[in-house]
Amino acid sequence: MLRRPEVGAAVAALVVFAFFAIYTDTFLSEAGVATWTESSARIGIMAVGVSMLMIGGEFDLSTGTMIGTTGLTVGVLTTHYGVNVWVAVLIALALALVIGALNGILVMRTGLPSFIVTLATFFVLQGLNLALVKAIIGGVAVQGMRDVPYFDSIEPVFATDISLPFGASITISVLWWIAVTAIATWVLLRTKPGNWIFAVGGAATSARQVGVPLFRTKIGLFMTTAFAGWLVGMIDLFSAASVTSAKGVGDEFIFIICAVVGGCLLTGGYGSAIGAALGALIYGMTEKGIVYAGWDSDWLMAFLGVMLLLAVLVNTWVRKQAEVSR
Amino acid sequence: MKTLRIAAVAAAAALTLTACSGTGQDDDGAEDASDLDLTYAVVTHGAPDDAFWSVVKAGSDRAGEDLGVDVEYNSDPDVTKQAELIDAAVADDVDGIVVSMADPDGLEKSVKAAVEAGVPVITINSGIDESAEFGAITHVGQSETIAGEAAGEKFSELGAKKVICVIHEAGNTGLEQRCAGAKSKFGGSMENLQVDGADTTEAKNTIQSALQADGSIDGVLALNAQVALGAQQAVEESGAEVQIGTFDLSEDLIGQIQDGNVAFAVDQQPYTQGYLGVQFLYLNSINGNQVGGGKPVYSGPAFVTKENADEVLEVRQERHPLTR
């Protein structure tokens, strides 16, 4: 039990939590909890998808822009072409899955590193998000999303506040985050595809020799990160009722960082979905905790870097202790 | 904190009353202000390293010092994260929020929630049209369209025929409005050019390529000071006869204006946006004032040209040297 990859991250998350809970007044207040859980949830959904892919031995750098692409797709289809918002959301999902599959097929067929293939996808999507959207709607930001028919009917699915019995409230994105983490953990630990993922990430050649469907597994993983991108894209779109061409650019590294903080190895074959979710929690708590602490925001990134490094160090230390104690 | 504040206001009012009734007691305003223990949050959409926004921050910091209130500045160019920062400030129970709304639709929910929670809001810089609708006390800034129009007219005066308008942030509606405004009042033809504002060398190269590709371009309108400096380099290296105009200032840029390499800068006076935002919240906290009477307070545009560049530079160096 102690040797699970997420144990260190859990301890690190507790340390960060305790620090800000004691150091600031706001962190544990109702409104405070609502804010940092929301940031953690959005990053966490994506980090869980990315962690599965990383266990499978690949990277996806197109995840950030995918958030923008799916959001813009729905925004443009509904506000400009008058497509029903539910239909538009499904079209965006299909588009995301196709792009994810394309990423996977390109990686498998060309033998290029996924780092390169998805970097190319990242640039292409970034360009399309700007050029195509500008060409179609003549601007860089989708306007009037709230006036779209049936907006109110779909908003609660992706963006609504849920009151908890003891007074606090959280956004629905937190439930999505928990659900995604639970499903990913179940798949990784309890199903055959889960074994395949560890196998293709740890030892691809021998996995192929024993009959693991390498091609299908990897493509499925790229489609998983694309799905996560779509889900976060919808959460962002319906909570802000707005999306611009620059959406998500630069976020892809944060997801990888969270997966690593949560115990995933950059070399593949090792890690967990719960760990990635905890990594996102550490990131979200730190990011908002720094604001509550009132530290000068010029130093925000420096503080964040130090806190993350400390979190990883605590993480590694705990894991080493666990291994020694065995 | 709230009850403390009400008590303090009441105490201040009582003091003022007794002063009026002629007991001869000194009413020391400054001391009362720090007794109020006010904290304001400034939440903008600026990138952390942006020269323009560091001037806004300097303005709000200075107002905080002058008034004896705590000012906490945070920013994020991504609208979802900026909205979260506003929520965080409300959660933190601040006494007022200054916010820039580059993407008003995206901030609507958070700003309205802040107002509903009883936190006074002042909008600055962008979001002039939505400010009142969302329940903000007032807006401090310039109309991007009006400022753009002024820049367009200036290029006509300079005799330019073909100008490129350089957009450095994809997804910023304010920048698009400036270019559209400039285009509408400019006599010649104007086209937009998209560059990567985060990478100034690359931005310079893109502008240079555009100049090389079309020799008839005789004007470049940049939308921030860094890009304008890049444009100036591009023009110098290409050797073409091109007039440069820009939005916003930096110390280096003022130098280029003094040397005549850059024709003009439209200054929306960001220092005043940061300063007045905090000042207006303060007036609201201590006296219930609603400055602006439902109309925006214009912080600009002011033109900086060769004529007044010396004076502008002197003020900057003396008053806020950290924002060069």
Side-chain angles (χ1 to χ4, degrees):
Chain A
M1 175 66 197
L2 275 174
R3 295 197 66 219
R4 297 280 319 137
E6 61 270 10
V7 171
V11 173
L14 273 176
V15 172
V16 173
F17 177 86
F19 175 75
F20 285 113
I22 295 165
Y23 190 76
T24 72
D25 296 333
T26 314
F27 194 78
L28 283 185
S29 71
E30 281 170 35
V33 171
T35 318
W36 59 257
T37 50
E38 186 184 1
S39 331
S40 305
R42 294 176 44 256
I43 305 166
I45 292 168
M46 208 67 245
V48 166
V50 168
S51 74
M52 292 178 83
L53 181 69
M54 277 174 73
I55 294 169
E58 306 287 347
F59 283 101
D60 189 349
L61 295 181
S62 65
T63 48
T65 41
M66 183 67 80
I67 297 171
T69 302
T70 50
L72 287 164
T73 303
V74 175
V76 170
L77 283 177
T78 51
T79 59
H80 192 76
Y81 293 108
V83 175
N84 177 296
V85 66
W86 286 88
V87 176
V89 164
L90 292 178
I91 292 174
L93 173 60
L95 180 71
L97 292 177
V98 168
I99 296 171
L102 273 178
N103 271 338
I105 292 169
L106 274 172
V107 168
M108 296 309 288
R109 283 274 178 262
T110 60
L112 290 171
S114 53
F115 201 89
I116 301 299
V117 170
T118 57
L119 184 64
T121 313
F122 161 68
F123 285 138
V124 171
L125 291 182
Q126 190 182 358
L128 287 178
N129 286 357
L130 179 63
L132 206 56
V133 168
K134 253 182 104 167
I136 295 172
I137 65 172
V140 291
V142 171
Q143 303 285 312
M145 195 63 211
R146 250 181 252 281
D147 303 328
V148 165
Y150 305 113
F151 180 88
D152 294 339
S153 74
I154 198 167
E155 192 189 7
V157 178
F158 295 107
T160 187
D161 293 335
I162 297 167
S163 302
L164 297 179
F166 45 90
S169 85
I170 51 165
T171 53
I172 197 166
S173 58
V174 177
L175 297 188
W176 279 109
W177 178 34
I178 293 169
V180 165
T181 311
I183 293 169
T185 304
W186 175 74
V187 168
L188 282 174
L189 298 182
R190 290 272 179 274
T191 68
K192 204 186 272 178
N195 284 332
W196 295 343
I197 293 170
F198 281 102
V200 298
T205 323
S206 36
R208 198 200 300 264
Q209 280 159 359
V210 297
V212 170
L214 194 65
F215 195 79
R216 252 199 297 159
T217 308
K218 294 235 174 178
I219 287 171
L221 287 173
F222 279 106
M223 289 172 79
T224 305
T225 56
F227 171 83
W230 167 80
L231 182 52
V232 177
M234 294 307 102
I235 289 169
D236 279 9
L237 175 69
F238 288 101
S239 60
S242 163
V243 55
T244 67
S245 297
K247 181 79 201 173
V249 176
D251 286 354
E252 50 285 331
F253 279 107
I254 294 170
F255 310 138
I256 295 175
I257 290 163
C258 290
V260 173
V261 167
C264 286
L265 289 185
L266 288 162
T267 45
Y270 186 82
S272 77
I274 295 182
L278 289 168
L281 184 64
I282 292 171
Y283 190 94
M285 287 194 298
T286 308
E287 204 190 18
K288 287 297 171 297
I290 289 170
V291 175
Y292 295 142
W295 295 344
D296 187 339
S297 67
D298 287 352
W299 293 89
L300 180 92
M301 284 299 157
F303 290 137
L304 200 57
V306 171
M307 299 283 283
L308 286 176
L309 190 61
L310 288 176
V312 176
L313 286 175
V314 170
N315 186 339
T316 328
W317 182 79
V318 171
R319 203 160 62 215
K320 279 222 178 85
Q321 295 301 307
E323 275 165 20
V324 168
S325 72
R326 222 168 75 100
Chain B
M1 199 193 279
K2 203 149 229 169
T3 36
L4 190 72
R5 193 178 100 199
I6 292 165
V9 172
L15 262 177
T16 319
L17 282 176
T18 43
C20 287
S21 57
T23 54
Q25 266 185 323
D26 275 342
D27 179 15
D28 190 342
E31 215 169 79
D32 289 343
S34 47
D35 286 352
L36 288 174
D37 193 19
L38 296 168
T39 304
Y40 298 134
V42 180
V43 182
T44 77
H45 68 276
D49 61 343
D50 191 297
F52 177 89
W53 287 101
S54 64
V55 177
V56 174
K57 181 172 188 282
S60 59
D61 284 350
R62 177 60 188 261
E65 273 169 45
D66 288 357
L67 303 168
V69 298
D70 283 333
V71 173
E72 289 171 359
Y73 179 95
N74 284 289
S75 68
D76 203 309
D78 183 309
V79 70
T80 314
K81 293 172 199 153
Q82 196 196 351
E84 282 175 6
L85 286 170
I86 296 170
D87 297 343
V90 175
D92 218 358
D93 209 10
V94 294
D95 301 286
I97 300 176
V98 177
V99 57
S100 70
M101 301 198 296
D103 183 352
D105 277 6
L107 296 181
E108 182 175 357
K109 208 157 80 177
S110 292
V111 170
K112 282 184 172 169
V115 172
E116 265 166 41
V119 180
V121 174
I122 304 265
T123 59
I124 59 167
N125 184 263
S126 30
I128 192 166
D129 298 326
E130 292 81 4
S131 177
E133 188 198 325
F134 291 180
I137 296 170
T138 191
H139 179 87
V140 186
Q142 70 182 358
S143 155
E144 300 290 14
T145 308
I146 292 175
E149 288 169 359
E153 281 165 6
K154 198 83 180 173
F155 267 117
S156 292
E157 277 172 38
L158 291 168
K161 297 274 181 290
K162 186 163 192 183
V163 176
I164 47 174
C165 189
V166 187
I167 296 193
H168 59 266
E169 262 173 44
N172 185 330
T173 42
L175 300 184
E176 301 275 340
Q177 282 167 1
R178 285 180 186 172
C179 286
K183 199 172 182 175
S184 72
K185 294 282 169 162
F186 177 54
S189 78
M190 189 178 284
E191 271 171 31
N192 292 3
L193 176 72
Q194 181 73 44
V195 301
D196 181 3
D199 184 344
T200 39
T201 317
E202 196 47 45
K204 188 213 86 175
N205 289 340
T206 310
I207 295 168
Q208 201 166 349
S209 318
L211 294 177
Q212 285 160 352
D214 185 352
S216 65
I217 293 171
D218 56 1
V220 175
L221 177 57
L223 303 183
N224 81 11
Q226 281 120 310
V227 173
L229 289 170
Q232 192 272 320
Q233 270 183 300
V235 167
E236 202 176 274
E237 285 171 28
S238 68
E241 274 292 310
V242 178
Q243 308 249 33
I244 300 168
T246 184
F247 281 74
D248 303 340
L249 290 174
S250 73
E251 208 158 288
D252 288 345
L253 185 80
I254 299 173
Q256 294 297 335
I257 294 175
Q258 286 172 320
D259 295 345
N261 296 329
V262 172
F264 69 88
V266 181
D267 186 15
Q268 57 174 314
Q269 311 195 97
Y271 196 81
T272 61
Q273 294 178 0
Y275 193 94
L276 289 179
V278 172
Q279 174 89 65
F280 290 175
L281 280 179
Y282 183 74
L283 284 168
N284 184 264
S285 297
I286 60 165
N287 206 34
N289 291 127
Q290 310 238 344
V291 182
K295 292 273 186 288
V297 176
Y298 287 121
S299 69
F303 274 104
V304 178
T305 58
K306 209 168 178 176
E307 282 76 52
N308 62 357
D310 293 348
E311 193 187 336
V312 172
L313 185 64
E314 200 180 330
V315 173
R316 274 179 87 94
Q317 282 171 338
E318 274 178 24
R319 297 293 163 92
H320 35 102
L322 281 177
T323 58
R324 59 186 59 183

